[in-house]
């Protein structure tokens, strides 16, 4: 059996970080097992789906390098398949029309609530063969098509989830659930099953928020007489309060990460979040090599931005210099690159190093070191200027500054004013390293400018 998996995002929003993780695990599983990974756009919600979201989903997957096999499948193009499958189930008596009103369904629900039973519809229309009133494919009033669900109270729907083990549901608790609003308006669970059958999906790997849909989908497979795929439900990505990560917790759209993060870092982070690998940093190839659905965790992991930043900083350090400059959108001498990448967690933080490409601007008060006066900073800078003028090599400059520190009776007094003069900032790499990147001329210019300001 050749493995065939898919992700099925709805284009009603940008690619969510959780869907990106599902995509990664599906992709790793397919690549590991010599199978194929497919993309299906679930665009049946015509009002909320947009082409713009669809494009951005494709774009985000491409950015992450999660290439899919074959053509993109779109549910909106499958109306005829759903209709045929629905007609077949009606003909075989496995699905039936129901036109119970909202109020009737509501009072049934209320009664069930009082008896502490789960809400469901046990439809009396099933046996008296209600006939859909017209040939019109459009929905009429309250009419829906329902699956005739086994009322045997003993019946259990059981599946062996590859990640979570055996999962059981009582079929009788599902009621005769709806599968379409009209012949041309199949509902979510029905469309998913028809498509998964049509595409020959062997393993449905998706978020655990779909577990409750799975028994319904299994009954639809049975009604259609088709083989049931294997299921694996992935843990959810959680917010710090352990609720499902959503917009109110910050950025959840993958495209929002593009500005700051490298795709390799985001993938490694998402991969390691809910799967145990032998080490922390892995290339995609290494992840493929080690990936096992059985090594996916059962419980959800909290999205930890600091951890993501750490992964990112590791990948930033490994970038080729020219690639780094391109991604960061800056132009600095090559010698400056390690000084920046050593300390960079997010690409946009490169602005903290703007003194490499523009004149620093700062309030002269910043030149003051701790309890010392501005006058003392001025003296320190005058000495610094002399050292920088006559000393050529890095080590010699360094020891001259150490001596200056001793002479001034405070090491910080030697280094702080120089740091501020060169960068205009309180935090930076070693100012002597910066001086070497800037070159003698520019360094002296900045030091003299600082002296003049005092
Ligand atoms: N459209 C569903 C979602 O985005 C996909 C469900 C599935 O994978 O079966 O959650």
């Amino acid at each position: 059996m050749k493995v065939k998996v898919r992700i099925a995002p709805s284009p009603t929003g940008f690619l969510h970080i959780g869907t990106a993780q599902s995509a990664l695990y599906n992709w790793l599983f397919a690549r590991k097992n010599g199978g194929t990974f497919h993309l299906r756009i679930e665009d049946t919600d015509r009002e909320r789906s947009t082409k713009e979201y669809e494009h951005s989903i494709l774009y985000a997957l491409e950015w992450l390098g999660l290439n899919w096999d074959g053509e993109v499948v779109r549910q909106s193009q499958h109306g005829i398949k759903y209709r045929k499958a629905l007609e077949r189930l009606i003909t075989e008596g496995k699905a039936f029309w129901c036109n119970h009103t909202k109020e009737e369904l509501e009072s049934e629900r209320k009664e069930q609530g009082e008896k502490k039973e789960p809400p469901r519809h046990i439809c009396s229309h099933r046996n008296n063969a209600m006939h859909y009133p017209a040939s019109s494919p459009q929905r009429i009033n309250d009419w829906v098509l329902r699956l005739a669900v086994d009322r045997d109270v003993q019946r259990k729907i059981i599946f062996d989830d590859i990640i979570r083990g055996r999962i059981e549901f009582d079929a009788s608790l599902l009621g005769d659930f709806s599968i379409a609003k009209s012949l041309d308006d199949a509902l979510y669970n029905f469309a998913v099953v028809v498509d998964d059958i049509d595409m020959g999906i062997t393993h449905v790997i998706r978020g655990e928020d779909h577990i409750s849909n799975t028994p319904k989908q299994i009954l639809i497979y049975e009604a259609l007489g088709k083989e049931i795929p294997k299921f694996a439900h992935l843990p959810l990505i959680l917010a710090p309060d352990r609720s499902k990560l959503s917009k109110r917790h910050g950025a959840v759209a993958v495209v929002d990460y593009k500005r700051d993060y490298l795709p390799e870092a985001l993938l490694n982070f998402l991969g390691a979040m809910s799967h145990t690998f032998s080490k922390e940093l892995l290339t995609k190839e290494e992840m493929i090599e080690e990936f096992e659905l059985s090594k996916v965790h059962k419980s959800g992991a909290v999205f930890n931005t600091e951890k993501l930043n750490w992964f990112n900083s590791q990948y930033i350090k490994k970038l080729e210099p020219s690639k780094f400059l391109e991604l960061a959108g800056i132009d600095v001498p090559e010698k400056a690159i390690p000084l920046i990448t050593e300390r960079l967690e997010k690409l946009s933080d490169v602005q903290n190093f703007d003194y490499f490409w523009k004149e620093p601007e700062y309030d002269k008060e910043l030149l003051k070191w701790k309890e010392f006066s501005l006058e003392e900073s001025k003296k320190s800078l005058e000495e610094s200027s002399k050292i920088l003028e006559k000393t050529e090599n890095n080590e010699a400059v360094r020891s001259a500054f150490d001596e200056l520190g001793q002479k001034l009776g405070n090491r910080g007094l030697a280094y702080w004013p120089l740091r501020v003069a060169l960068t205009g900032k309180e935090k930076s790499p070693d100012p002597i390293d910066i001086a070497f990147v800037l070159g003698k001329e520019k360094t002296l210019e900045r030091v003299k400018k600082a002296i003049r300001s005092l």
Side-chain angles (χ1 to χ4, degrees):
M1 179 183 66
K2 192 162 175 258
V3 162
K4 211 168 175 191
V5 294
R6 64 10 174 222
I7 55 155
S10 305
T12 53
F14 296 107
L15 187 74
H16 187 281
I17 197 88
T19 315
Q21 192 192 43
S22 299
L24 172 63
Y25 287 164
N26 272 281
W27 185 88
L28 291 172
F29 183 70
R31 297 291 172 260
K32 167 84 186 246
N33 293 290
T36 51
F37 165 68
H38 299 266
L39 174 59
R40 183 169 77 223
I41 297 289
E42 303 214 317
D43 56 352
T44 40
D45 183 342
R46 281 166 226 153
E47 266 158 40
R48 290 172 55 231
S49 299
T50 70
K51 273 284 162 198
E52 195 197 359
Y53 283 136
E54 180 183 318
H55 290 147
S56 82
I57 290 171
L58 267 58
Y59 175 73
L61 289 168
E62 279 166 5
W63 176 66
L64 287 170
L66 298 176
N67 51 315
W68 58 89
D69 299 295
E71 299 286 313
V72 177
V73 176
R74 287 182 189 79
Q75 284 198 324
S76 55
Q77 293 160 352
H78 287 181
I80 193 79
K81 288 192 183 123
Y82 307 142
R83 190 186 174 108
K84 280 195 176 142
L86 290 169
E87 282 172 340
R88 218 188 90 201
L89 292 185
I90 299 172
T91 313
E92 292 173 5
K94 292 174 181 164
F96 64 94
W97 290 104
C98 150
N99 71 342
H100 279 111
T101 61
K102 265 203 200 81
E103 294 72 31
E104 286 169 322
L105 296 175
E106 201 46 56
S107 74
E108 183 182 21
R109 234 154 246 234
K110 220 173 131 202
E111 241 174 71
Q112 288 164 343
E114 280 158 13
K115 287 192 254 163
K116 303 239 179 309
E117 286 178 8
R120 63 209 190 277
H121 179 47
I122 300 167
C123 191
S124 54
H125 292 168
R126 172 164 154 177
N127 301 325
N128 40 15
M130 296 292 292
H131 289 292
Y132 196 54
S135 55
S136 155
Q138 259 78 50
R139 187 178 191 201
I140 302 172
N141 300 326
D142 299 310
W143 288 86
V144 288
L145 194 61
R146 296 183 178 277
L147 196 75
V149 173
D150 199 346
R151 294 210 177 131
D152 174 1
V153 283
Q154 307 298 331
R155 165 83 211 265
K156 301 262 187 232
I157 303 163
I158 299 169
F159 64 96
D160 276 311
D161 189 286
I162 304 176
I163 297 168
R164 320 183 70 83
R166 184 184 162 101
I167 299 184
E168 255 186 50
F169 286 90
D170 284 333
S172 63
L173 299 183
L174 295 176
D176 301 310
F177 61 87
S178 52
I179 53 175
K181 289 192 200 163
S182 76
L183 289 177
D184 282 344
D185 208 348
L187 287 168
Y188 165 70
N189 281 313
F190 192 76
V192 166
V193 171
V194 171
D195 282 336
D196 283 340
I197 292 170
D198 189 56
M199 292 167 73
I201 297 303
T202 57
H203 296 73
V204 172
I205 306 169
R206 59 182 171 196
E208 70 175 26
D209 45 343
H210 285 288
I211 289 183
S212 61
N213 288 321
T214 305
K216 293 182 182 171
Q217 294 181 7
I218 288 175
L219 292 181
I220 297 171
Y221 278 101
E222 286 180 1
L224 292 169
K226 298 292 179 185
E227 199 181 326
I228 299 164
K230 301 241 178 321
F231 292 98
H233 288 95
L234 304 167
L236 298 181
I237 297 182
L238 306 176
D241 63 2
R242 301 200 74 80
S243 63
K244 185 180 171 185
L245 187 72
S246 74
K247 263 194 210 141
R248 71 192 161 88
H249 303 108
V252 287
V254 171
V255 282
D256 289 341
Y257 287 83
K258 189 168 177 266
R259 197 171 139 253
D260 276 323
Y261 298 94
L262 304 181
E264 301 80 13
L266 189 55
L267 280 184
N268 196 157
F269 166 73
L270 289 174
M273 188 188 284
S274 302
H275 183 285
T276 307
F277 290 104
S278 63
K279 52 184 180 176
E280 212 146 25
L281 294 174
L282 297 100
T283 61
K284 281 201 298 192
E285 289 65 36
E286 288 171 319
M287 281 201 268
I288 294 172
E289 188 67 31
E290 291 191 23
F291 186 78
E292 302 282 351
L293 275 176
S294 57
K295 288 189 191 161
V296 174
H297 309 157
K298 287 193 184 61
S299 48
V302 170
F303 188 94
N304 180 341
T305 309
E306 277 166 32
K307 188 91 204 188
L308 170 59
N309 290 350
W310 178 81
F311 274 103
N312 207 40
S313 67
Q314 301 304 309
Y315 281 88
I316 287 176
K317 282 197 208 53
K318 288 195 226 168
L319 284 173
E320 290 289 326
S322 60
K323 186 75 190 163
F324 169 71
L325 295 181
E326 182 197 321
L327 289 172
I330 56 167
D331 189 12
V332 293
E334 195 158 331
K335 281 186 289 181
I337 296 176
L339 296 185
I340 302 175
T341 54
E342 264 305 306
R343 292 159 182 82
L344 200 63
E345 291 198 322
K346 297 193 290 182
L347 287 173
S348 66
D349 289 346
V350 77
Q351 293 309 324
N352 298 338
F353 300 84
D354 59 359
Y355 43 83
F356 282 123
W357 62 88
K358 67 176 209 205
E359 287 307 305
E361 277 168 37
Y362 54 91
D363 188 312
K364 70 173 186 184
E365 287 299 315
L366 197 59
L367 291 163
K368 188 171 149 359
W369 169 243
K370 293 207 169 147
E371 70 276 16
F372 297 89
S373 66
L374 278 178
E375 194 49 41
E376 282 165 301
S377 288
K378 189 173 178 182
K379 265 192 224 128
S380 160
L381 283 169
E382 282 163 351
E383 297 284 338
S384 306
S385 165
K386 281 186 215 152
I387 298 173
L388 292 161
E389 206 147 350
K390 65 172 198 278
T391 322
E392 292 297 337
N393 99 19
N394 196 322
E395 283 319 303
V397 171
R398 222 171 273 284
S399 53
F401 267 88
D402 288 342
E403 272 169 38
L404 176 62
Q406 280 168 12
K407 187 170 142 193
L408 298 172
N410 185 294
R411 194 179 149 79
L413 191 55
Y415 283 92
W416 178 266
L418 179 67
R419 173 194 309 283
V420 175
L422 298 187
T423 68
K425 304 208 191 292
E426 292 177 38
K427 272 194 201 134
S428 76
D430 183 331
I432 294 171
D433 288 336
I434 296 176
F436 272 88
V437 171
L438 293 175
K440 195 168 194 167
E441 197 182 328
K442 198 168 263 172
T443 300
L444 285 170
E445 223 172 78
R446 290 189 186 180
V447 171
K448 286 179 179 153
K449 191 173 165 205
I451 296 171
R452 281 198 304 277
S453 78
L454 293 168

